[in-house]
């Protein structure tokens, strides 16, 4: 297994607190476990604010987890010293949602892509230039574009630059945090196809974080559905999309437009917003929005259970 995450937690200190009372912590991630095989993609879905991006950043230790373990290629990296961790980051990279704000506008595209090479010891300028040129070509950009600045590229091209930078050191895992959400629909398909081609060529693994179920269904081998810092359903993509079992997954899928009326999923309206992770509802955190909630759901927290081989669900009724 390339990546194994076990009972990962990230609590942020709460703000305020009245009459000397310590404020409650924010449970951004609250006991998340999953694994990613080499050359495979895990799609992590859920509404904004559910903790998906915090999971991605915690895995790379861009933010420090509060508890749990992260194993990468069999090594426990949860408390790895930062010097060793910097070295390991060659093999674990991240691509952000907004390619414009993640690229320095004052640097040429070629220098942006070459930067990780320089940081990790490729000091020869000619060698660096040749490697950067090859990276540009691998992501569908021309070598002549290396001298341009980020604002001279389209949104899709800027995301290609981000991907080239992430590929520079030959990573095994890329955390792709909403990598196409900021792009036009036509461009999204091109960037996704590029990522899938690269996966095949390089045996890359992705943690693909997105709120867009159609995209996740297309790219993922496994899917984990997150709600308020927890995974509520986890299974192979085909299984979860054919037979979602958790009421939250069902509601998310019902919200995806289906072109074929014969194939329409049962409508399950998802009302309200995700509650605050500071004041999480007691019992099942989803109960205030769940159309199937029962008395038990208000008091008892459902634990994830394997309901069939490789399919986990956290719901009293499943
Ligand atoms: Fe709904 Fe109850 Fe299942 Fe939670 S445990 S998802 S409230 S039915």
């Amino acid at each position: 297994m390339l990546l194994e995450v076990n009972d990962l937690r990230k609590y942020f200190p709460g703000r305020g607190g009245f009459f000397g009372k310590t404020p409650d912590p924010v449970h951004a991630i609250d006991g998340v476990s999953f694994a990613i095989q080499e050359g495979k993609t895990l799609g992590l879905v859920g509404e904004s604010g559910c903790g998906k991006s915090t999971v991605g950043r915690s895995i790379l230790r861009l933010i420090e987890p509060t508890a749990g373990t992260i194993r990468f290629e069999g090594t426990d990296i949860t408390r790895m010293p930062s010097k060793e961790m910097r070295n390991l980051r060659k093999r674990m990279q991240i691509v952000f949602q907004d390619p414009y704000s993640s690229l320095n506008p004052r640097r040429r595209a070629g220098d942006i892509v070459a930067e990780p090479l320089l940081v990790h010891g490729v000091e020869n300028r000619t060698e660096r230039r040749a490697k950067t040129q090859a990276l540009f070509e691998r992501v569908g950009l021309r070598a002549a574009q290396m001298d341009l600045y980020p604002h001279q590229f389209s949104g899709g091209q800027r995301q290609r630059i981000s991907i080239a930078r992430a590929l520079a050191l030959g990573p095994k895992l890329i955390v792709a945090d909403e990598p196409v959400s900021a792009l036009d629909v036509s461009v999204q398909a091109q960037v996704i196809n590029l990522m899938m081609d690269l996966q095949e060529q390089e045996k890359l693994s992705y943690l693909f974080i997105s709120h867009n179920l159609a995209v996740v269904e297309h790219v993922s081998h496994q899917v984990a559905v997150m709600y308020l810092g927890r995974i509520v359903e986890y299974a192979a993509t085909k299984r979860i999309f054919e037979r979602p079992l958790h009421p939250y997954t069902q509601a998310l899928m019902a919200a995806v437009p289906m072109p074929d009326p014969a194939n329409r999923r049962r409508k399950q309206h998802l009302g309200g917003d995700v509650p605050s992770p500071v004041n999480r509802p007691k019992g099942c955190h989803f109960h205030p929005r769940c159309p199937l909630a029962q008395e038990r759901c208000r008091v008892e927290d459902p634990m994830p259970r394997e309901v069939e081989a490789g399919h986990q669900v956290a719901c009293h009724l499943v």
Side-chain angles (χ1 to χ4, degrees), residues 30 230 280-285 296-304 314 316:
D30 198 18
R230 292 183 178 172
R280 299 171 307 162
K282 294 226 164 16
C284 172
H285 298 334
R296 180 185 178 194
C297 307
R298 291 174 228 287
V299 287
E300 201 181 318
D301 200 358
M303 291 295 116
H316 294 310

Side-chain angles (χ1 to χ4, degrees), residues 246-247 284 286-287 290 292-293 297 302 315-317:
H246 194 284
C284 172
F286 185 54
H287 85 254
C290 180
L292 307 177
C297 307
C315 171
H316 294 310
L317 299 193

Side-chain angles (χ1 to χ4, degrees), residues 13 35 38 83 99 106 110 119 133 137 139-140 154 165-166 170 189 216 232 241 259 262 265 298 305 307:
E38 193 182 353
K83 196 169 165 210
R106 283 185 287 276
V119 170
Q133 183 172 333
E137 285 161 6
V139 299
S154 68
R165 179 176 58 183
V216 165
V232 295
F241 277 86
R265 291 168 177 133
R298 291 174 228 287
R305 281 187 307 119
V307 293

Side-chain angles (χ1 to χ4, degrees), residues 40-98:
K40 303 286 184 201
T41 299
L42 173 71
L44 192 57
V45 291
E47 294 161 282
S48 68
C50 71
K52 316 184 284 295
S53 295
T54 311
V55 170
R57 284 163 175 75
S58 299
I59 287 168
L60 300 183
R61 303 258 320 272
L62 297 175
I63 52 180
E64 292 299 340
T66 308
T69 53
I70 306 160
R71 296 183 78 82
F72 181 72
E73 295 183 312
T75 305
D76 187 344
I77 64 164
T78 327
R79 307 271 169 253
M80 188 177 262
S82 42
K83 196 169 165 210
E84 283 174 54
M85 197 60 217
R86 254 200 307 280
N87 245 336
L88 194 88
R89 287 226 181 81
K90 288 182 197 168
R91 303 171 67 71
M92 308 168 87
Q93 289 288 316
I94 188 162
V95 171
F96 294 101
Q97 172 177 359
D98 181 356

Side-chain angles (χ1 to χ4, degrees), residues 42-311:
L42 173 71
L44 192 57
V45 291
E47 294 161 282
S48 68
C50 71
K52 316 184 284 295
S53 295
T54 311
V55 170
R57 284 163 175 75
S58 299
I59 287 168
L60 300 183
R61 303 258 320 272
L62 297 175
I63 52 180
E64 292 299 340
T66 308
T69 53
I70 306 160
R71 296 183 78 82
F72 181 72
E73 295 183 312
T75 305
D76 187 344
I77 64 164
T78 327
R79 307 271 169 253
M80 188 177 262
S82 42
K83 196 169 165 210
E84 283 174 54
M85 197 60 217
R86 254 200 307 280
N87 245 336
L88 194 88
R89 287 226 181 81
K90 288 182 197 168
R91 303 171 67 71
M92 308 168 87
Q93 289 288 316
I94 188 162
V95 171
F96 294 101
Q97 172 177 359
D98 181 356
Y100 199 58
S101 59
S102 65
L103 302 178
N104 185 339
R106 283 185 287 276
R107 302 200 65 196
R108 293 179 198 275
D111 293 335
I112 291 172
V113 172
E115 191 182 1
L117 297 170
L118 182 62
V119 170
H120 285 275
V122 183
E123 275 162 18
N124 183 300
R125 210 184 148 85
T126 315
E127 187 189 345
R128 229 172 30 239
R129 181 107 188 146
K131 284 191 171 179
T132 306
Q133 183 172 333
L135 285 163
F136 264 63
E137 285 161 6
R138 235 153 91 209
V139 299
L141 295 170
R142 284 175 287 108
Q145 294 174 300
M146 286 163 58
D147 292 326
L148 302 180
Y149 290 92
H151 74 270
Q152 295 173 289
F153 292 89
S154 68
Q157 287 174 327
R158 283 198 288 265
Q159 200 56 302
R160 285 174 192 267
I161 297 171
S162 302
I163 293 170
R165 179 176 58 183
L167 288 176
L169 299 166
K172 295 296 288 175
L173 174 74
I174 292 186
V175 172
D177 189 359
E178 300 272 10
V180 295
S181 306
L183 306 178
D184 291 345
V185 176
S186 57
V187 182
Q188 285 185 10
Q190 293 167 15
V191 172
I192 285 168
N193 288 341
L194 168 68
M195 290 180 70
M196 292 175 81
D197 288 347
L198 291 168
Q199 178 166 57
E200 212 171 297
Q201 292 156 17
E202 316 281 334
K203 268 206 159 271
L204 275 175
S205 302
Y206 293 118
L207 175 66
F208 195 98
I209 298 169
S210 178
H211 67 280
N212 185 329
L213 269 97
V215 172
V216 165
E217 183 176 13
H218 187 63
V219 302
S220 309
H221 300 93
Q222 299 273 128
V223 174
V225 180
M226 264 191 95
Y227 190 76
L228 264 187
R230 292 183 178 172
I231 290 175
V232 295
E233 187 160 5
Y234 179 39
T237 307
K238 194 169 181 321
R239 184 163 294 178
I240 213 167
F241 277 86
E242 276 177 7
R243 204 162 79 93
L245 295 178
H246 194 284
Y248 179 59
T249 316
Q250 291 171 353
L252 282 182
M253 288 188 184
V256 177
M258 299 291 287
D260 177 3
N263 200 17
R264 262 192 199 136
R265 291 168 177 133
R266 192 157 50 96
K267 260 292 188 240
Q268 187 108 248
H269 182 64
L270 185 57
D273 295 322
V274 182
S276 155
V278 183
N279 267 323
R280 299 171 307 162
K282 294 226 164 16
C284 172
H285 298 334
F286 185 54
H287 85 254
R289 303 171 79 193
C290 180
L292 307 177
Q294 302 179 349
E295 201 40 49
R296 180 185 178 194
C297 307
R298 291 174 228 287
V299 287
E300 201 181 318
D301 200 358
M303 291 295 116
R305 281 187 307 119
E306 189 157 53
V307 293
E308 51 189 334
H311 191 164

